[in-house]
Amino acid sequence: MKAKPIVSVSTEMEVQFYDVDSMRVVWHGNYVKYLEAARCELLKAFNYNYLEMEATGYIWPIVDMRLKYVASAKLSDFIIVEANLVEYQSRLKIEYVIRDKATAKILNKAYTIQVAVDIANGEMLFETPQCVLEKLSPYINEL
């Protein structure tokens, strides 16, 4: 059984012409863009977007990303991208599920892992910075 997500968001998108190939299905590389859009919404949900990260002295590069393609989204389909923060200690692990809005069929499952890097010295941290723990504390206390 999976752990309960710490923070979750869902983002709806319409598949655009520029995201599809000649067969009118989403080109596989564009799913990464959909993950990024959902990840940005997730980070905003606990007030730690990329500008806030920088303001606190950290960057959070992605060090691992996995995608499992289950089915294809097509031109003009509406999709729902769910992003769930599932780990926050020493790294941020976000799991994603992309579904077709009309059928709820799973199209893609993925996860990303980000680590904190101190902007001042470029060194990776092996623990979550206190500023992130404070931002997540309302969610952690609910678990």
Side-chain angles (χ1 to χ4, degrees):
M1 184 171 166
K2 285 190 162 191
K4 181 181 175 191
I6 299 145
V7 184
S8 292
V9 299
S10 291
T11 303
E12 181 179 322
M13 295 175 224
E14 182 178 5
V15 174
Q16 300 296 314
F17 179 74
Y18 50 76
D19 283 345
V20 300
D21 62 19
S22 61
M23 295 176 286
R24 295 189 181 179
V25 299
V26 173
W27 177 68
H28 69 278
N30 283 322
Y31 286 91
V32 174
K33 180 171 59 174
Y34 301 154
L35 302 183
E36 178 69 26
R39 184 170 48 256
C40 287
E41 291 303 313
L42 180 72
L43 295 170
K44 278 196 261 184
F46 63 94
N47 195 31
Y48 200 60
N49 65 28
Y50 289 110
L51 294 175
E52 180 69 20
M53 287 177 183
E54 186 178 16
T56 60
Y58 303 100
I59 56 172
W60 288 78
I62 291 177
V63 295
D64 192 8
M65 178 185 304
R66 307 274 170 99
L67 294 95
K68 179 175 176 71
Y69 299 94
V70 179
S72 297
K74 297 172 184 65
L75 180 63
S76 296
D77 285 353
F78 284 89
I79 59 173
I80 304 293
V81 185
E82 182 180 317
N84 302 293
L85 178 65
V86 296
E87 292 180 28
Y88 65 92
Q89 295 173 327
S90 76
R91 65 186 192 169
L92 299 180
K93 182 175 183 183
I94 302 170
E95 294 179 347
Y96 309 84
V97 177
I98 301 175
R99 298 178 189 275
D100 180 274
K101 183 181 178 186
T103 66
K105 181 179 181 178
I106 294 175
L107 304 174
N108 191 293
K109 294 180 181 182
Y111 72 79
T112 57
I113 294 174
Q114 294 170 259
V115 296
V117 173
D118 187 315
I119 292 173
N121 61 21
E123 292 184 12
M124 185 175 87
L125 279 66
F126 292 98
E127 60 184 26
T128 301
Q130 187 62 36
C131 60
V132 177
L133 296 176
E134 290 169 7
K135 289 180 181 295
L136 287 172
S137 66
Y139 301 95
I140 296 166
N141 293 335
E142 289 179 4
L143 297 177

